[in-house]
Amino acid sequence: MDEKSEFLGKDNIKKLLFKLSAPIVIGMLVQAIYNVVDTFFVGMAYGADDVQAIGGLSIAFPIQMMVMAFGIVLGTGGSSIISRALGARENEKAERVLGNVFSLSLILSVLIAIPGLYYLDPILKVFGATAGVMPYAREYLKYIILGGTVFVFGVAVQNIVRSEGNARFAMNAMLVGGGLNIFLDPLFMLGFGMGVKGAAIATVISQAIASIWLLLYYLKGKGAVHFRSETLKPDLEIDKEIGAIGIGSFVMQCSNSVMMIFVFNALATYGGDSAIAVFGVIIKVNSFIFMSLLGMGFGLQPVVGFNYGAKKYERIAEAVKLSLAATTTIGIFGLLIILLLKEQILGLFSADPQYLEIGKKAMTIMLLGMPLVGMNVITSILFQALGKAKPAFLLSISRQLLFLIPLVTLLPRFYQLNGVWAAFPAADFLAFLLSGFLLLRVYKIFKENKEFSKTASGSEITDKMSNL
């Protein structure tokens, strides 16, 4: 086994989580920054009172996330298998998974682009695009979809690099892409006068550079998993395993986009273009909190996967407890900061009076459940890292599909626009309860089988975990 990953089973858990999570959180925050930067410069390019251009990016955002979701399914599925394979000293399997992630990235991006471009207008209408925001959303998305390969590959391989325990390199790739995007946005949008098209082109170029950075990491043999060209040949068994594990993250990302179909249509009915623009701004600002939570989860994943493969279960329990404490703290402090600065934050993107009035109330209500979200994120990633596809899938669809869509459909009938905003904290609470219930089941299995004993064989827990 490559010694580059051995520290995952030896180092102090608290220091290990910080070492792995801190670079990921920084990288994810940079990604959140350049999502916000796009909207900020669109506001500058089209005028402080033009909410339709901001609304266009708001509508485009969930569709862009659906493109990236294909990279997430490959990255989370592949990284779970690789980290467990490294822990079990199965290097050849890890190499075959890496090669299949590479080849599937190209195949899936082509399959996305053809129907995505052909049916772009109908897709935008489904997402609730009004006549005012449609031209901006269309102009932005056609370039994003054309550049789909770099998004799918980049997202997938970032996860694979993290699964080896090299979170710092993954962070550097995100910093390179994010920093370049922040530089190119004003150049293309304002300097060259390209508007939303410039924002899209800047994003594609930035992601392409980050993807090349990640590709060179493996081509130069720097990874714990070595790339061999013969592993590019699709292996059906490996591909099925990647899909079974990664489908949870894929559904979580896509369910977020599907949820936005219902939200945007409700907003178009009860609030119009200003409400759509407000929601887009809140989602991107909230991404600073959510990306931090996700970064903590991604830092946890290789620790769980490696130690599960190495049968060091007591380390898993400690890592999960610390991750839950950290994500809850992040949620509380992030919420307080956003609520204290909500007027200033909203004013960065538009000076439209209706937008500002709607935004202050929306931000107050919508984000109240953020301290609870960490439980859902950590528990979902825990099950993915353990290779338990069914509970991971259930948790991935719970917050957006099982709870939020029914709530956002029902509550506005009684409370109009306020009902849309109130659906979010209500869904967060229900997902928190479900996540806690499933997490307690795992701990019960651990305790029943004395799983935290250093001498435990792990055979009994493996059998019981297979029934989850």
Side-chain angles (χ1 to χ4, degrees):
M1 175 184 150
D2 197 305
E3 294 183 357
K4 293 177 182 176
S5 298
E6 286 279 10
F7 71 97
L8 293 169
K10 296 178 179 178
D11 287 5
N12 175 273
I13 290 293
K14 186 180 291 187
K15 293 180 180 178
L16 183 58
L17 283 175
F18 181 80
K19 177 181 178 179
L20 294 174
S21 298
I24 300 173
V25 170
I26 292 170
M28 300 290 272
L29 288 176
V30 170
Q31 184 176 343
I33 288 171
Y34 75 73
N35 284 336
V36 171
V37 164
D38 275 356
T39 306
F40 174 75
F41 283 114
V42 162
M44 290 185 63
Y46 291 94
D49 297 321
D50 188 347
V51 297
Q52 291 179 332
I54 295 174
L57 259 67
S58 301
I59 293 287
F61 184 68
I63 302 173
Q64 181 180 351
M65 292 301 101
M66 291 185 78
V67 174
M68 297 175 70
F70 287 90
I72 291 173
V73 68
L74 298 179
T76 55
S79 61
S80 173
I81 301 168
I82 286 174
S83 58
R84 284 181 284 119
L86 290 172
R89 302 178 182 271
E90 297 174 350
N91 274 26
E92 184 180 348
K93 182 176 182 179
E95 290 171 359
R96 284 187 283 125
V97 173
L98 177 66
N100 273 245
V101 167
F102 279 22
S103 55
L104 286 173
S105 297
L106 178 60
I107 294 169
L108 288 176
S109 60
V110 173
L111 294 177
I112 295 166
I114 296 171
L117 291 172
Y118 189 79
Y119 294 106
L120 184 55
D121 277 16
I123 291 170
L124 287 170
K125 289 178 181 177
V126 169
F127 273 85
T130 63
V133 304
M134 174 70 83
Y136 301 103
R138 182 196 301 121
E139 185 73 3
Y140 182 84
L141 273 176
K142 66 183 181 183
Y143 292 98
I144 296 297
I145 293 173
L146 281 171
T149 300
V150 297
F151 290 103
V152 175
F153 180 86
V155 170
V157 179
Q158 281 174 21
N159 281 273
I160 300 298
V161 174
R162 294 185 195 118
S163 73
E164 301 179 359
N166 197 346
R168 185 176 296 275
F169 189 88
M171 176 195 72
N172 289 338
M174 297 181 77
L175 290 174
V176 168
L180 185 60
N181 192 76
I182 292 169
F183 170 75
L184 292 179
D185 258 343
L187 178 65
F188 286 7
M189 295 173 67
L190 303 175
F192 298 158
M194 297 172 70
V196 294
K197 178 172 73 173
I201 292 173
T203 300
V204 172
I205 291 173
S206 303
Q207 187 61 46
I209 298 300
S211 295
I212 292 170
W213 182 284
L214 291 163
L215 177 61
L216 291 174
Y217 174 78
Y218 284 108
L219 293 182
K220 292 182 177 180
K222 294 182 178 179
V225 182
H226 301 293
F227 171 72
R228 294 182 291 112
S229 58
E230 56 267 30
T231 61
L232 290 171
K233 183 179 179 180
D235 183 316
L236 184 59
E237 289 303 313
I238 284 178
D239 295 345
K240 286 169 62 177
E241 189 175 359
I242 290 173
I245 297 168
I247 192 66
S249 290
F250 177 79
V251 171
M252 178 184 283
Q253 189 67 53
C254 287
S255 63
N256 191 52
S257 297
V258 171
M259 169 271 294
M260 289 189 188
I261 295 175
F262 291 85
V263 173
F264 281 129
N265 279 282
L267 292 175
T269 301
Y270 296 103
D273 290 347
S274 292
I276 291 174
V278 163
F279 179 70
V281 168
I282 292 176
I283 285 294
K284 292 190 175 184
V285 171
N286 182 49
S287 67
F288 285 96
I289 303 176
F290 188 76
M291 290 293 193
S292 299
L293 303 181
L294 207 55
M296 290 298 304
F298 285 149
L300 173 68
Q301 186 274 325
V303 178
V304 172
F306 186 95
N307 286 287
Y308 189 67
K311 302 187 183 341
K312 296 182 178 181
Y313 306 107
E314 74 285 351
R315 291 174 62 80
I316 297 174
E318 184 181 356
V320 171
K321 289 178 183 178
L322 289 170
S323 297
L324 287 173
T327 52
T328 301
T329 302
I330 290 170
I332 292 170
F333 278 97
L335 171 64
L336 291 175
I337 290 169
I338 290 177
L339 292 183
L340 286 172
L341 300 176
K342 60 185 175 184
E343 292 189 32
Q344 292 88 338
I345 292 170
L346 290 164
L348 289 173
F349 303 96
S350 176
D352 179 74
Q354 186 179 19
Y355 155 86
L356 292 172
E357 182 182 353
I358 292 173
K360 285 185 285 186
K361 181 179 287 187
M363 196 170 277
T364 300
I365 299 172
M366 188 176 157
L367 301 182
L368 288 176
M370 283 312 298
L372 306 177
V373 175
M375 172 70 83
N376 185 251
V377 171
I378 293 300
T379 309
S380 177
I381 289 176
L382 168 65
F383 282 110
Q384 289 169 8
L386 294 171
K388 307 306 169 188
K390 290 181 182 179
F393 178 82
L394 176 62
L395 289 169
S396 297
I397 67 171
S398 63
R399 185 164 166 257
Q400 290 94 345
L401 292 187
L402 293 184
F403 302 132
L404 186 53
I405 288 177
L407 287 167
V408 87
T409 303
L410 179 64
L411 292 181
R413 296 181 182 181
F414 301 98
Y415 305 105
Q416 287 74 51
L417 189 57
N418 286 339
V420 179
W421 311 131
F424 285 85
D428 292 337
F429 177 70
L430 293 173
F432 172 83
L433 294 179
L434 176 61
S435 301
F437 170 74
L438 290 175
L439 183 61
L440 287 174
R441 287 188 64 189
V442 174
Y443 273 93
K444 184 179 179 181
I445 294 173
F446 282 170
K447 290 181 179 179
E448 285 177 354
N449 293 276
K450 298 180 180 179
E451 204 43 50
F452 303 134
S453 169
K454 294 181 180 179
T455 60
S457 67
S459 59
E460 290 186 25
I461 191 170
T462 302
D463 291 340
K464 289 196 175 185
M465 290 288 282
S466 66
N467 295 322
L468 283 173

